Structures are given as structure tokens and as C-alpha cells.
Amino acid sequence: MTVKVRFAPSPTGKIHVGNVRTALMNVLFARKAGGRFVLRIDDTDLERSTKAFEDGIRADLSWLGLNWDDSFSQSARFERYAEAAEQLKAAGRLYACYETEDELERKRKLQMAQGLPPVYDRAALKLTDAEKAKLEAEGRKPHWRFKLTGAVVEWDDLVRGPTPIDTSSLSDPILVREDGSYLYTLPSVVDDIDANITHIIRGEDHVTNSGAQIEIFEALGGKAPAMGHHPLLIGADGGKLSKRLGTLSIEGLREEGVEPMAILSLLAKIGTSDPVEPRHSIDALVADFDLGKLSRAPARFDPEELNRLNARLLHETPYAAVKDRLAALGADGGEGFWNIARANIERLPQAADWMAVVSGEIAPVVEEADYLAQAAEALPAGALTAASWGEWTNALKEATGRKGRALFLPLRLALTGRPHGPEMADLLPLIGREKALKRLRGETA
Ligand code: GLU
């Protein structure tokens, strides 16, 4: 049996770190098993789904390197869903209901007032053909509910272990609306059957749904795939992540210059007991991956942790891997430059700031003009090399009696315009004599 999994986003918005974590788990699961990964676009909601969101999802996944072996959209498969609905009707498992939203709401309120769970009372099952005809003559159109068995459905969840859902505590789910449109529930099952999906890996918010869907798989003559429901992401403060999801869209992170592998390295590990470490390829994440390692508690997503991981990843990144992107940023200063700059940036675009220090223009920060003038006089003759900084500052130390911060900081501020950064011994040869002398005089150079 070839493992086949799917990621099934609805193109009704941008994808964010929470969706991508689900996609990543599916990709890692497939790769580990030598299986296939399918991208399914859940666009049965024709009003809210847009082509632009779909394109965005594909672009984001591609940027992350989460490539799919196969892809299809639910909107191309309405005929199959209609067939499945007919099959369920013929088997007496899909029944017509005529209550309006208001009527249903009233029933729920009444049940709650009596201390009963707000489960649909199946009144529609008792309607005679004549009563249905009368309702339809009044202009009512039916919506269609799936008749659950009322049994306890249990599966051995890949994350949660044995998971029982008592379907007698659920309302029969509506599969088809009055206007003939499908809710997500039935199309998903039909697609999983037709695409031979072997494992469904998705968020914990679908657990109850799975109880009903397993019964639909069986009612259609199939067998439900194996299932794994992972706990959802929460914010670093333990609060809901959804409030900040706007800023945690993949598009947003890409625009901010975050590395795809920093995002994936973090998402692969949070919620497990494995340490969070930078990994440079998806393949490097596969070996450690195991759904059984996921804790049952929600996973905390901390943007600060992402920043730190991004910095660590860049510090280990070889020049060849970023050369083209550096060039696009106007920050390709060669391998020597990258090896110096990379330990001092959190995001790749910041390399451009160091590029300006070595070969662009900066406004020097002048704190002690006299000292800087003396330093300019003492700059070693000839080409500046890796040894020049040591020679220069030793000479200044002797001449001025300065040491430590008082000796070094004014030079750094003048030469780089900032108080921290790479070793000055490394930077000085790249800055060169001409710029160094100008900056020591306080001139923009
Ligand atoms: N479109 C559904 C969602 O995003 C898919 C759930 C599933 O994986 O079945 O929640």
C-alpha cells in the first residue's frame, strides 16, 4: 500500500503558520514513508473561495519547498459529490429536512432550557411524503442531513491514541444545503476515497467531524483512512494565535525576509520534546519526524523564537546558498563579506546594511573628533589587511593611554555608524583606506 496523504486548504484567505504546520506534517509523513503528497483545494464554497487566494496558497507552499505530487480542486468534482449524495439517499442515510435557521435555533434554545444537549431531534425523519410535498408547495427547499448510526465510532489516532466519538451525542450533519451546495464534510470523504488517501493528518478541531466522516466513509462502501489529529498552535502567551494570524501569514513572513527553512524547522519541532534547531532542507527534517512525538498539549508558536532560529540558520548558511538572493538585495559582497556579515544579521535583507558599511555610504557617528583625527594619522600605511586593526589600535593605545571601550568604540562608531557588528579586524580591510579616512573625519562615505 503506497502511503498517500493530502493537505486540503480552503482558498478563502491567506495561509498562515498554523495551516503550514499541517501541510508540513503531511509532507514529512509522506517522505518518510516514500509516499505521495496531494494538494487538494477545498473550494466548494464558491462565494468565499477565490482564484487569487488559491494562487497565493500555491505560491506560498512552493516558496516553502512543500511541493505536491498531485493537485486537484473540489469545484471540478460536483458531479461526483452529487452521485455520492444519491447513493446515500438510496441507502436511506441522507434525508431531507425543511426547518429554517430560525426554527432550528428555537429548538436548540428549548433543548438547552430543558438541560438537554442541542442535538437535532430528527423531526424531519418523521415527515410523510404528503407533508414533504406540502412544505415544498409552500416554497420550502430541503437541506439534507446524514443519518448517523448513534454508535460509538473509535479509531486509533496516530497522535491521540484510541479516540472514541459517541455519534449519539452529535446532530446529524448537514451535507447539502437548500441551494444544493455542499458543505465540506461529504466532498472531503468522496475525495479521500477516490484519491486513495491512506492517512488523514489534520488539526484537532476536526476530531468530532472525523466521527461523522468515518460513518460516511462506511456508508459509501469504503473504509476510513488512518487518522491523526494534531493539537493546534497557540501564541507564546498561551492565548489564541488566530488574533495575530494576520501578521503570521506566510506571505507576510516572506515579505519580512524570513527564511523558509526557519519557519519549517520551527513548525516541525514545536509541540514535541525534540530540541528546536535550524535545518537546511526538508529532507533533514524527515528523519526526526514522528507523529507519536507530538504532545497532547497545544504547541506554542513564538515569533521571537522564529527570529532567533532564523538568525542561527543564516549564521550557518554557506555563501553559495544565498548568493543570488544577496545579489537581488544589492548585497553580494562576495564570500568573504558574507562570512563576516552573516553572524550579525537576523534576516537576510539586513546584509544590505553591512554592504553599505563596506562598500556603500554611511553617516559616521562621531563622538570624539580629536581622538578620531589622531587615529586617522596613525592608520597603518599600505594596504589594509587582517593584521591592520591590531597594529593600529596597539599604536593608539600606546599613544593615548586609552584602552577597552574608550579605545575601540569611537573607532567602530565612526567607521560603521553603529555600536555593534562584525570584528573590526575583518571589516577594516573591506572598508578600505579611503572610506576609513573620510569616516574618521566625520564625512559621509
Ligand atoms: N478544508 C478543511 C480545513 O481546512 C480540510 C480539513 C481536512 O483536512 O479534511 O479545515
Side-chain angles (χ1 to χ4, degrees):
M1 175 184 79
T2 309
V3 163
K4 203 169 175 196
V5 294
R6 84 298 191 279
F7 171 55
S10 303
T12 53
K14 292 178 184 174
I15 52 170
H16 51 71
V17 290
N19 310 120
V20 165
R21 182 158 167 265
T22 305
L24 176 62
M25 286 187 200
N26 279 283
V27 167
L28 295 177
F29 189 88
R31 289 209 193 170
K32 191 151 185 179
R36 293 171 70 75
F37 170 64
V38 177
L39 171 63
R40 184 181 90 200
I41 302 293
D42 280 5
D43 55 355
T44 50
D45 184 341
L46 296 174
E47 294 210 336
R48 289 176 57 228
S49 301
T50 73
K51 180 78 172 70
F53 283 134
E54 179 182 335
D55 292 346
I57 290 169
R58 290 178 190 277
D60 289 345
L61 292 176
S62 300
W63 175 71
L64 289 162
L66 297 174
N67 302 321
W68 50 92
D69 299 302
D70 194 5
S71 167
F72 64 91
S73 295
Q74 292 194 319
S75 56
R77 292 177 41 81
F78 286 126
E79 278 174 26
R80 271 295 292 134
Y81 309 145
E83 269 173 36
E86 289 313 312
Q87 189 185 338
L88 293 176
K89 284 179 200 170
R93 297 298 296 277
L94 193 64
Y95 62 97
C97 302
Y98 294 86
E99 295 91 344
T100 63
E101 232 345 285
D102 284 346
E103 287 164 354
L104 289 173
E105 185 57 31
R106 247 177 282 141
K107 284 189 189 198
R108 281 193 290 262
K109 283 201 175 130
L110 209 64
Q111 286 168 315
M112 309 261 264
Q114 294 166 348
L116 297 169
V119 173
Y120 177 60
D121 62 6
R122 291 184 164 168
L125 270 181
K126 298 179 196 95
L127 293 173
T128 62
D129 285 347
E131 284 167 329
K132 287 186 201 172
K134 185 166 169 276
L135 286 163
E136 295 201 18
E138 282 169 11
R140 293 212 192 194
K141 289 210 164 63
H143 56 270
W144 298 81
R145 288 188 190 259
F146 176 74
K147 195 171 158 218
L148 295 165
T149 62
V152 175
V153 174
E154 181 165 331
W155 69 95
D156 194 7
D157 196 276
L158 300 166
V159 180
R160 306 157 55 89
T163 303
I165 296 289
D166 179 359
T167 63
S168 71
S169 68
L170 307 180
S171 291
D172 289 337
I174 299 174
L175 301 188
V176 189
R177 298 188 186 90
E178 280 78 1
D179 64 1
S181 66
Y182 297 91
L183 282 100
Y184 141 87
T185 319
L186 175 65
S188 181
V189 170
V190 173
D191 292 341
D192 288 339
I193 293 173
D194 289 358
N196 297 312
I197 296 300
T198 59
H199 298 76
I200 295 178
I201 300 166
R202 60 185 174 188
E204 216 169 48
D205 49 338
H206 283 289
V207 168
T208 310
N209 204 2
S210 289
Q213 281 187 326
I214 287 173
E215 290 208 332
I216 299 175
F217 274 105
E218 288 166 1
L220 288 172
K223 187 179 164 304
M227 297 199 177
H229 295 83
H230 60 78
L232 302 182
L233 290 187
I234 53 170
D237 53 5
K240 264 202 164 172
L241 196 64
S242 54
K243 273 184 253 150
R244 281 198 299 272
L245 283 181
T247 53
L248 293 173
S249 71
I250 298 306
E251 185 184 68
L253 295 174
R254 178 171 64 223
E255 281 167 4
E256 285 173 26
V258 177
E259 301 300 304
M261 280 313 303
I263 300 171
L264 299 184
S265 298
L266 184 61
L267 293 179
K269 296 297 167 112
I270 47 177
T272 77
S273 53
D274 281 352
V276 174
E277 277 163 359
R279 292 277 189 274
H280 292 263
S281 70
I282 295 175
D283 284 340
L285 290 169
V286 172
D288 286 346
F289 177 75
D290 182 353
L291 281 177
K293 286 186 180 175
L294 282 171
S295 130
R296 292 288 305 274
R300 282 175 195 251
F301 181 87
D302 181 356
E304 274 312 310
E305 191 172 17
L306 178 62
N307 274 342
R308 288 193 297 272
L309 194 63
N310 199 73
R312 283 176 67 195
L313 188 90
L314 286 175
H315 302 174
E316 299 171 352
T317 300
Y319 174 61
V322 284
K323 184 178 184 324
D324 294 347
R325 288 169 63 208
L326 287 173
L329 291 164
D332 183 3
E335 185 164 7
F337 165 74
W338 171 247
N339 289 345
I340 291 169
R342 65 182 175 180
N344 291 277
I345 56 177
E346 276 197 329
R347 305 268 172 99
L348 194 79
Q350 293 164 350
D353 301 342
W354 292 109
M355 192 65 187
V357 170
V358 301
S359 59
E361 280 207 341
I362 60 148
V365 173
V366 173
E367 284 203 335
E368 294 178 77
D370 291 348
Y371 172 49
L372 295 179
Q374 192 178 0
E377 291 293 320
L379 195 63
L384 297 175
T385 67
S388 304
W389 174 258
E391 280 171 37
W392 187 29
T393 51
N394 274 336
L396 283 171
K397 186 175 175 182
E398 289 210 347
T400 63
R402 288 174 182 252
K403 53 185 189 210
R405 224 180 128 78
L407 177 68
F408 300 119
L409 188 60
L411 302 178
R412 179 181 282 280
L413 286 170
L415 293 174
T416 71
R418 55 189 74 205
H420 304 288
E423 294 291 335
M424 288 304 299
D426 294 331
L427 281 178
L428 189 59
L430 296 178
I431 293 170
R433 168 176 305 280
E434 194 190 337
K435 272 189 198 303
L437 289 174
K438 281 193 183 162
R439 290 177 186 173
L440 291 167
R441 288 199 296 268
E443 291 167 22
T444 297

